[in-house]
Amino acid sequence: PQAGVRTGDTVAPVRGGAGMAELLRLSAEEFRAAVGEDRLGDEVLLADVRLLPPLDGYGEVWCAGVTYERSRGARMEESTEQSVYDRVYSAPRPELFPKSPAWRLVTDGDPIGIRTDSGHDVPEPELAIVANSRGEIVGFTICNDVSSRSIEGENPLYIPQAKVFAGGCALATGIRPAWEVADPKDLTIDLVIRRGEDEVFTGTTSTKNLVRELQDLIDVLFVPNEFPDGVILATGTGIVPELDFALQAGDVVEIAISEIGTLTNTVAVGREPF
Ligand code: DO4
Ligand code: MG
């Protein structure tokens, strides 16, 4: 596996065969230079490569939670413990939780998983920040923080089980470099869920509604932690279906974030052996 720069339907490898971990050990300035046109190898057709999630080595995905009013409202509706969600929305310290090591990620076109012991599951379409080992924001991608509402709603102490399971964390295949995104707090996030021929859910929001500052979230994450191969931090969902909607096997979940890209996955129940 190696990192490359995608343009249209071709991709050019970063010279020296660097993977994402190596790129995310560089400073933001060095990272930008490393993916510059003059540092790339020969282009190959996208059709001839397999695109992987944009994180490897010791990279980790973390998530922020309850960062949109809609998320606060939906959690208060589903939970037996409403006040924790109400308080964390406006507390100085954000909710941050570990979601996936690099090796457990899935990407565009792979199945996403829901648990056999859940029963009420939803996708969470989130803008995700890509930070290097120094805590500098170098890019953005899309994360689907697939979640069990029934397990989370039963007791907030069950959140790790509601959030971490096979196929529960999907990332888009690429990252959009930070210097190409004029205002990451002004992006449109769209979610469409298809069941057979039907669109069974559509929702839209803007990152304008995100109550936290992106660099603040990264700074809190880096206070006690090192991320030697970089980290991707999903910034929370602003789209939550009503309580009567639950994912089913075979549903196709499509997320689009303006200027960033798309992420499409089909739902599978339980884990598949590799
Ligand atoms: O507190 C539970 C998780 C919240 C979350 O994942 C979100 O708001 O996106
Ligand atoms: Mg989430």
Side-chain angles (χ1 to χ4, degrees), residues 63-68 71-72 75 78 85 88 95 97 124 126 145 147 152 159 163 235-238:
C63 289
V66 200
T67 51
Y68 289 79
S71 181
R72 172 177 64 173
R75 315 273 163 200
E78 83 197 4
Y85 297 102
V88 81
E95 180 198 5
F97 56 91
E124 293 192 357
E126 306 188 7
D145 169 25
S147 302
E152 181 184 329
I159 280 179
K163 293 287 190 180
T235 54
T237 188

Side-chain angles (χ1 to χ4, degrees), residues 50-110:
R50 174 166 171 216
L51 296 177
L52 300 171
L55 201 64
D56 50 34
Y58 291 111
E60 296 173 43
V61 176
W62 282 61
C63 289
V66 200
T67 51
Y68 289 79
E69 240 178 55
R70 173 63 192 139
S71 181
R72 172 177 64 173
R75 315 273 163 200
M76 289 177 70
E77 212 184 339
E78 83 197 4
S79 183
T80 55
E81 304 293 334
Q82 301 176 342
S83 71
V84 293
Y85 297 102
D86 197 21
R87 281 186 285 127
V88 81
Y89 179 74
S90 47
R93 180 185 292 282
E95 180 198 5
L96 299 177
F97 56 91
K99 177 73 179 173
S100 182
W103 66 263
R104 195 186 279 123
L105 291 168
V106 298
T107 192
D108 195 54
D110 292 337

Side-chain angles (χ1 to χ4, degrees), residues 19-191:
M20 285 307 298
E22 283 156 282
L23 290 181
L24 293 177
R25 277 180 223 138
L26 303 174
S27 70
E29 205 180 328
E30 290 164 341
F31 175 92
R32 186 169 180 169
V35 298
E37 247 174 71
D38 54 326
R39 303 274 286 273
L40 303 179
D42 293 338
E43 286 181 345
V44 290
L45 285 175
L46 271 184
D48 293 337
V49 298
R50 174 166 171 216
L51 296 177
L52 300 171
L55 201 64
D56 50 34
Y58 291 111
E60 296 173 43
V61 176
W62 282 61
C63 289
V66 200
T67 51
Y68 289 79
E69 240 178 55
R70 173 63 192 139
S71 181
R72 172 177 64 173
R75 315 273 163 200
M76 289 177 70
E77 212 184 339
E78 83 197 4
S79 183
T80 55
E81 304 293 334
Q82 301 176 342
S83 71
V84 293
Y85 297 102
D86 197 21
R87 281 186 285 127
V88 81
Y89 179 74
S90 47
R93 180 185 292 282
E95 180 198 5
L96 299 177
F97 56 91
K99 177 73 179 173
S100 182
W103 66 263
R104 195 186 279 123
L105 291 168
V106 298
T107 192
D108 195 54
D110 292 337
I112 45 173
I114 54 177
R115 299 177 57 126
T116 52
D117 58 352
S118 171
H120 191 183
D121 307 276
V122 285
E124 293 192 357
E126 306 188 7
L127 174 69
I129 304 164
V130 183
N132 63 19
S133 59
R134 303 154 202 232
E136 297 171 310
I137 297 175
V138 296
F140 299 96
T141 188
I142 303 173
C143 179
N144 186 346
D145 169 25
V146 186
S147 302
S148 162
R149 291 190 79 177
S150 43
I151 295 175
E152 181 184 329
E154 197 177 330
N155 188 323
L157 293 178
Y158 294 153
I159 280 179
Q161 295 175 74
K163 293 287 190 180
V164 181
F165 43 86
C169 187
L171 291 184
T173 52
I175 72 174
R176 186 84 197 263
W179 59 90
E180 292 181 359
V181 181
D183 184 0
K185 292 285 295 283
D186 189 10
L187 303 176
T188 303
I189 303 181
D190 288 302
L191 170 65

